[in-house]
C-alpha cells in the first residue's frame, strides 16, 4: 500500500509549490511517487465543484450547506480514485495529494457553529473513508499562514478568485477551523511565517521533509 501524504492549508498557503517540490525531491531519488491535486478542476467529475466555486449556487460559500458542498468535492475524489490512482494506492510508493478530504474539513467546517465541528468531522470521515472507500491519509501536512498572508499570496498567484477566495470572513473562519483540525487530528503543522515574515520556500520545505522523516 502506498503512503498517502496530504498537503493542506488555506488558499495561497503554498500547497501547490510545496507539493511539487516534494514530488521532485522524491522522484529525484528514484522513488515511485504520484502527485495528485484536488479538486481535479479540468475533469468532468469536478463539474459540481466548479459550479459551486464559480458562484452557480450563490455568491457566498454559506449559500451551499457544508454537507452538499462536501459531497461535490468528495465525489470528485471518488471518481479520480476509481479511474486514475487506485492502482497506485494499492502498491508500494508515495502519493502526494495537494488538498484532500482535509480541505473539506477546513473549508466546510468553517460554515458551521463550533459546537457542530466534531460531529461534522465524524460525518465527513465516515462519508469519504468508510462509505466511499477512499484511503485515509497517512500524514497530513498543514501549511499554516495567517489570513493576511493567505490573501496576499492569492493575489500574487493571480488566478481569478473563486467564492472561497473572495470572502475574507470565510477565510478567517477557515483559519480557525484548520487550527482546530490540526490539533484534534494530529496534523503536522508547519508555521510558514516567522516574526511576521513569510519564510522561504526552501526553509518551509526542509521542515516538511523533517516532519515526514524523509
Ligand atoms: P496554494 O497551492 O496553497 O494556493 P501556491 O503554491 O499556488 O499556493 O502559492 C501561492 C503563490 O505564492 C504562488 O505565486 C507561489 O509562487 C507563492 N509562494 C508560495 N510559497 C511561498 C513562499 N514561501 N514565499 C514566497 N512566495 C511563495
Amino acid at each position: 500500500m502506498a503512503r498517502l501524504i496530504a498537503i493542506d492549508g488555506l488558499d495561497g498557503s503554498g500547497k501547490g509549490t510545496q507539493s511539487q517540490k516534494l514530488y521532485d525531491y522524491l522522484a529525484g531519488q528514484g522513488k515511485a511517487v504520484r502527485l495528485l491535486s484536488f479538486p481535479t478542476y479540468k475533469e468532468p467529475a469536478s463539474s459540481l465543484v466548479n459550479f459551486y466555486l464559480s458562484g452557480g449556487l450563490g455568491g457566498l460559500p454559506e449559500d451551499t450547506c457544508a454537507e452538499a458542498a462536501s459531497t461535490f468535492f468528495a465525489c470528485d475524489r471518488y471518481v479520480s480514485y476509481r479511474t486514475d490512482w487506485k492502482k497506485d494506492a494499492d502498491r508500494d510508493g508515495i502519493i502526494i495529494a495537494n488538498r484532500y478530504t482535509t480541505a473539506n474539513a477546513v473549508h466546510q467546517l468553517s460554515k458551521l457553529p463550533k459546537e457542530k465541528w466534531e460531529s461534522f468531522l465524524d460525518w465527513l470521515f465516515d462519508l469519504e473513508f468508510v462509505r466511499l472507500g477512499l484511503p485515509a491519509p497517512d500524514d497530513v501536512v498543514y501549511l499554516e499562514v495567517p489570513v493576511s498572508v493567505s490573501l496576499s499570496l492569492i493575489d500574487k498567484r493571480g488566478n481569478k478568485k473563486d467564492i472561497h477566495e473572495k470572502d475574507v470572513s470565510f477565510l478567517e473562519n477557515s483559519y480557525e477551523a484548520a487550527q482546530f483540525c490540526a490539533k484534534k487530528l494530529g496534523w503536522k503543522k508547519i508555521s510558514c511565517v516567522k516574526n511576521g515574515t513569510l519564510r522561504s520556500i526552501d526553509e518551509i520545505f526542509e521542515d516538511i521533509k523533517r516532519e515526514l522523516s524523509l
Side-chain angles (χ1 to χ4, degrees), residues 16 36-37 43 49-50 53 70 77 87 105-106 110 156-157 191 206 211-212 214:
L36 309 173
S37 183
E43 299 297 324
V49 168
N50 289 327
L53 286 176
S70 296
R77 278 186 279 279
K87 57 187 181 310
V106 169
S110 63
K156 182 174 169 189
R157 200 178 46 198
S191 300
E206 286 306 309
E211 283 288 346
L212 294 171
L214 290 171

Side-chain angles (χ1 to χ4, degrees), residues 7-159:
I7 302 200
D8 224 305
L10 294 191
D11 294 304
S13 58
K15 299 179 295 293
T17 306
Q18 296 296 342
S19 308
Q20 185 65 52
K21 242 180 126 53
L22 186 56
Y23 173 84
D24 293 344
Y25 173 76
L26 294 169
Q29 293 185 329
K31 300 242 166 73
V33 57
R34 274 287 314 259
L35 175 58
L36 309 173
S37 183
F38 297 104
T40 65
Y41 294 115
K42 294 196 169 78
E43 299 297 324
S46 71
S47 55
L48 285 172
V49 168
N50 289 327
F51 189 64
Y52 159 72
L53 286 176
S54 62
L57 292 170
L60 296 175
E62 316 69 278
D63 288 335
T64 304
C65 69
E67 288 80 0
S70 296
T71 308
F72 305 158
F73 289 92
C75 288
D76 176 40
R77 278 186 279 279
Y78 177 78
V79 172
S80 155
Y81 175 63
R82 292 284 312 280
T83 60
D84 179 19
W85 54 279
K86 182 175 186 308
K87 57 187 181 310
D88 299 309
D90 289 343
R91 58 183 176 227
D92 286 343
I94 300 177
I95 297 179
I96 303 162
N98 169 7
R99 291 211 156 129
Y100 198 58
T101 308
T102 43
N104 262 347
V106 169
H107 291 100
Q108 302 306 325
L109 208 62
S110 63
K111 294 179 179 175
L112 299 168
K114 286 198 181 104
E115 60 274 15
K116 296 209 170 142
W117 283 8
E118 292 217 16
S119 62
F120 178 79
L121 288 180
D122 290 343
W123 173 83
L124 177 67
F125 297 148
D126 179 63
L127 172 71
E128 298 213 24
F129 304 142
V130 180
R131 291 170 197 273
L132 300 186
L134 289 162
D138 297 290
D139 307 275
V140 178
V141 174
Y142 162 47
L143 301 177
E144 188 213 8
V145 294
V147 173
S148 56
V149 174
S150 159
L151 287 168
S152 65
L153 289 173
I154 291 170
D155 286 339
K156 182 174 169 189
R157 200 178 46 198
N159 300 345

